[in-house]
Amino acid sequence: MAAAPVPGTARAWLLSAAPASRTQARCGRWYRAWLDFRRNPLAMSGLIIVLLLVAMAVFAPLIAEREAVTRQVLENRLQPPSWQHLFGTDELGRDIFARVVFGARITLIIVAMVGIIVVPLGLLVGLPAGYFGGVVDSVLMRITDIFLAFPRLVLALAFAAALGPGIENAVIAIALTAWPPYARLARVETLTRRRAEFIQAAELQGASHTRIIATQIVPLCLPSVIIRLTLDMAGIILTAAGLGFLGLGAQPPSPEWGAMVSSGRQVLLDQSWVATIPGLAIFIVSLGFNLLSDGLRDVGDARS
C-alpha cells in the first residue's frame, strides 16, 4: 500500500483530491498516469530502451569515432569482435560498432519525420470525416479504404521504387502508407464527441467549424493518436529497415541498419556478426517501442 503524501510537498500538491487550479489538476492527472506506467516493469523496460536509443543518437560522437563510420581499412576487413573493434568489422574494414551507434541517428530521424507527417495527415482526413459526415465522410473514408486495401510494406516498396532511393523518399513512402489508421481513429474519436454538449454550446456561441475542430476536438483526439503512433513505431522501423535492405532507403555509405544487414548477408555463414549485430539493434529497438506503447495504451485505458 502506497504511503500517504507528506503535506506541503510537490507529491502532495500533485495528488491533491481538490486541485485549486486547472494547471494543478492537469499536472496531477499526468503524475497519476506516470505512477500507473511506472508499476508496469515491461513498459519501464521499453522506456529505458528508447531513452538509451535517444542518448546513443544524441551523444554518438562521444561514444564512437565519426571517421570510423566510413573509414575503409581493407586489411582489417571481416575482423571478429575484439577490444579494438567491439562489434567487429564489415566487408570493407569499417567498424561495425561505430556504424551501429551513428545508425541510431538515422533510425530516430526516420521515426520522427514519419510521425510529423502521418499525424497531421491522419487528422486532416479523419476529423472532417467524423465532424461533417455525409458525403464528406464517404469520400474521405473511401480514399482511406483504398490505401488500407494494400499491405503496408508492399505499398511502401511501390512508392519508394517510384520516388527513387534515398532517406527522404523512404520517409515519404512510409508516411503515405502509415496515415490511414490515424484517419480512422480520428474519425471515430470525432464521432463519439460530435453531439457532446460542449460542442453544441460552442456552436450556439457562433464558433466556426474550423475553430471547434481545432480547439475542442483535436485536443481530445491527440492522446489516442499519440498512443497509436507509439504502437506503430516498431512497424515504421521495420519498414525503413526493409527499404534499406532492398536498397531503397538510405544509401551507402550511410550506416543505416537495414542496409548493414543487407551487406552482411553475403558472409552470413562465415562472419555472422556483420549482419547479426545490426539485426539485433533493429530487434531490440522495435521491442523497446512495442513495450513502451503497450504501457502507454494501458495507462490510457485506465485513465479513460
Side-chain angles (χ1 to χ4, degrees):
M1 184 176 180
V6 179
T9 62
R11 188 169 185 270
W13 183 81
L14 290 170
L15 296 178
S16 174
S21 65
R22 182 178 298 179
T23 301
Q24 183 180 1
R26 185 180 295 111
C27 293
R29 184 169 66 250
W30 284 107
Y31 182 67
R32 289 184 177 88
W34 161 250
L35 293 179
D36 292 337
F37 181 87
R38 195 175 63 179
R39 296 189 187 100
N40 188 335
L42 292 179
M44 287 300 297
S45 300
L47 178 62
I48 291 172
I49 292 174
V50 173
L51 291 178
L52 288 176
L53 173 69
V54 174
M56 185 168 65
V58 172
F59 300 106
L62 302 178
I63 300 174
E65 185 182 359
R66 184 187 298 270
E67 289 74 15
V69 174
T70 57
R71 185 173 56 213
Q72 301 179 13
V73 185
L74 296 181
E75 57 268 22
N76 289 335
R77 63 189 302 269
L78 299 176
Q79 293 293 317
S82 63
W83 286 112
Q84 184 178 3
H85 303 286
L86 294 180
F87 292 165
T89 60
D90 62 9
E91 70 282 358
L92 296 177
R94 297 171 298 191
D95 186 76
I96 296 178
F97 175 76
R99 292 178 62 78
V100 168
V101 170
F102 279 91
R105 289 187 167 185
I106 298 178
T107 299
L108 280 183
I109 289 173
I110 292 175
V111 168
M113 292 179 67
V114 171
I116 291 173
I117 295 174
V118 298
V119 171
L121 185 58
L123 292 176
L124 187 64
V125 174
L127 292 176
Y131 185 84
F132 295 107
V135 177
V136 175
D137 184 22
S138 298
V139 172
L140 293 178
M141 285 301 101
R142 296 301 75 76
I143 296 174
T144 304
D145 291 339
I146 292 174
F147 280 87
L148 288 173
F150 297 91
R152 179 181 297 184
L153 181 57
V154 174
L155 194 58
L157 288 173
F159 281 124
L163 295 172
I167 186 172
E168 297 85 0
N169 291 338
V171 168
I172 295 174
I174 296 172
L176 288 176
T177 62
W179 66 267
Y182 300 91
R184 282 199 167 276
L185 179 60
R187 174 181 178 270
V188 171
E189 293 283 349
T190 305
L191 284 174
T192 58
R193 297 175 172 89
R194 177 65 181 89
R195 301 302 175 187
E197 293 181 356
F198 64 91
I199 299 293
Q200 296 178 0
E203 291 176 344
L204 291 175
Q205 291 175 356
S208 64
H209 296 311
T210 303
R211 182 178 178 84
I212 292 174
I213 292 175
T215 62
Q216 303 293 332
I217 299 179
V218 169
L220 296 174
C221 293
L222 278 180
S224 299
V225 171
I226 292 174
I227 292 175
R228 173 71 198 203
L229 179 61
T230 59
L231 285 168
D232 283 349
M233 289 295 187
I236 292 171
I237 293 173
L238 292 175
T239 303
L243 294 178
F245 183 87
L246 296 174
L248 297 174
Q251 296 300 294
S254 298
E256 200 274 325
W257 291 345
M260 293 173 63
V261 174
S262 177
S263 65
R265 76 184 190 277
Q266 300 175 358
V267 293
L268 183 60
L269 296 180
D270 297 323
Q271 289 84 23
S272 60
W273 62 86
V274 180
T276 301
I277 297 298
L280 285 175
I282 297 172
F283 168 75
I284 293 173
V285 171
S286 300
L287 177 63
F289 275 111
N290 276 330
L291 295 177
L292 175 62
S293 61
D294 286 343
L296 291 176
R297 182 179 57 187
D298 293 341
V299 170
D301 291 343
R303 190 170 57 193
S304 62

